[in-house]
Amino acid sequence: MTLNETAGAKKDVLARAAADAVERVPGVAFLRPGLADLVRASYASRDRRKSGVRVRPGAVPGSWRIEVQFVARRTHRTLDVTRAVREAVLGVAEAGDSGRITVTVTVTGLV
């Protein structure tokens, strides 16, 4: 396996783990796919569970930037849900010994 294949596999594992962690947080209605995710979702090979989570290599080798977009439930305090999402993603990412992780969380709507 080449270095790029290894990085790509780690990226996919991080994205799936982050998506799973976010979906378990009380107050999260659903992950919010971006426009690119919606276009790509028409292909059978696209993993829709990763929609709303973007994983990119960080500026420092071995580091990662994880961006999460989700829709929150009105019945929960949005700030608390946002903090819980960030902590959940950091928890699964750090458990996988993925190096330095930066997590950005965006609430795109309320239902």
Side-chain angles (χ1 to χ4, degrees):
M1 196 179 278
T2 68
L3 186 58
N4 283 340
E5 289 173 336
T6 303
K10 183 158 224 150
K11 178 180 169 179
D12 286 342
V13 168
L14 275 172
R16 282 191 197 97
D20 288 344
V22 171
E23 290 174 340
R24 287 192 302 267
V25 173
V28 172
F30 54 89
L31 287 165
R32 179 73 175 187
L35 182 59
D37 292 320
L38 292 172
V39 171
R40 287 187 204 125
S42 63
Y43 297 105
S45 64
R46 179 72 179 152
D47 185 357
R48 292 188 55 102
R49 290 171 25 119
K50 294 186 297 181
S51 294
V53 176
R54 176 169 287 170
V55 178
R56 297 180 183 176
V60 176
S63 67
W64 295 95
R65 289 179 31 215
I66 303 175
E67 300 168 9
V68 178
Q69 294 184 353
F70 72 96
V71 174
R73 298 190 184 279
R74 291 183 192 275
T75 56
H76 291 73
R77 187 169 176 239
T78 307
L79 178 60
D80 293 339
V81 176
T82 303
R83 287 178 177 162
V85 164
R86 184 176 184 282
E87 291 303 315
V89 172
L90 279 173
V92 297
E94 290 173 353
D97 190 31
S98 302
R100 184 168 184 262
I101 305 291
T102 302
V103 179
T104 303
V105 179
T106 304
V107 177
T108 60
L110 299 171
V111 294

